[in-house]
Amino acid sequence: MKIGVISDSHDHLPMIRRALAVFQERGAACVLHAGDFVAPFAVRELLKFAGPVHGCFGNNDGERAGIRQVWPQVAEPPVALAVGGRRILLSHAPVTPAAAPQVPEVVISGHTHRVLVERTPAGVLLLNPGEAGGWLTGRATVALLDTDTLDAEILDL
């Protein structure tokens, strides 16, 4: 199963739309957002994805009540998920695998706006897709996670 991974979109609607198009083109079955959508209008755009969308709040998601009205399933991080037969821990700020109730196979975070694809000595995949908004670094990126191989590919938008 392929999963689209996005973080730090910061209300940048053209990049959210581009990310969803890339995910669809690449065969993603669902999307995970690691926070900092910022406002309900950005969440509405994100939820146009044809498959399931899971996500957690980030530190810049100030209008939480409005976001929850649009997306009641959005969670406080960290969030333990089972997607594509894999144990995934989703957070905005970087966390250790020990933050999960069960040892995860993948830890997804955002917040730093820096791309990270790395394995711990125990084999846990640490994944930060970078910033989808591109506001801070000038580079807008997302990731595609393959749950069959546990490989992640960083994609420039």
Side-chain angles (χ1 to χ4, degrees):
M1 171 186 222
K2 292 196 170 106
I3 299 172
V5 181
I6 182 171
S7 185
D8 297 281
S9 48
H10 291 273
D11 285 346
H12 200 305
L13 294 180
M15 289 303 166
I16 294 170
R17 290 180 188 122
R18 179 69 187 134
L20 297 182
V22 166
F23 293 155
Q24 183 177 348
E25 289 166 12
R26 298 294 297 269
C30 75
V31 170
L32 303 181
H33 196 303
D36 278 3
F37 345 97
V38 180
F41 70 84
V43 171
R44 279 188 200 94
E45 198 64 34
L46 180 68
L47 295 178
K48 290 180 180 178
F49 185 73
V53 179
H54 304 277
C56 65
F57 284 116
N59 62 303
N60 284 298
D61 294 319
E63 199 178 333
R64 290 182 181 218
I67 290 170
R68 282 196 191 281
Q69 284 182 339
V70 174
W71 192 15
Q73 300 83 5
V74 66
E76 292 293 336
V79 181
L81 300 166
V83 182
R86 299 295 187 165
R87 295 180 311 279
I88 299 173
L89 184 63
L90 179 66
S91 180
H92 182 62
V95 294
T96 65
Q102 286 186 311
V103 176
E105 295 166 278
V106 182
V107 176
I108 296 170
S109 64
H111 186 60
T112 65
H113 294 235
R114 289 186 208 112
V115 167
L116 174 71
V117 180
E118 183 177 290
R119 290 200 189 273
T120 68
V124 176
L125 177 64
L126 304 177
L127 175 60
N128 184 327
E131 62 168 320
W135 299 116
L136 185 65
T137 65
R139 181 182 180 207
T141 57
V142 294
L144 193 65
L145 173 65
D146 186 326
T147 60
D148 294 333
T149 62
L150 274 187
D151 290 324
E153 179 183 2
I154 300 299
L155 307 169
D156 284 284
L157 299 176

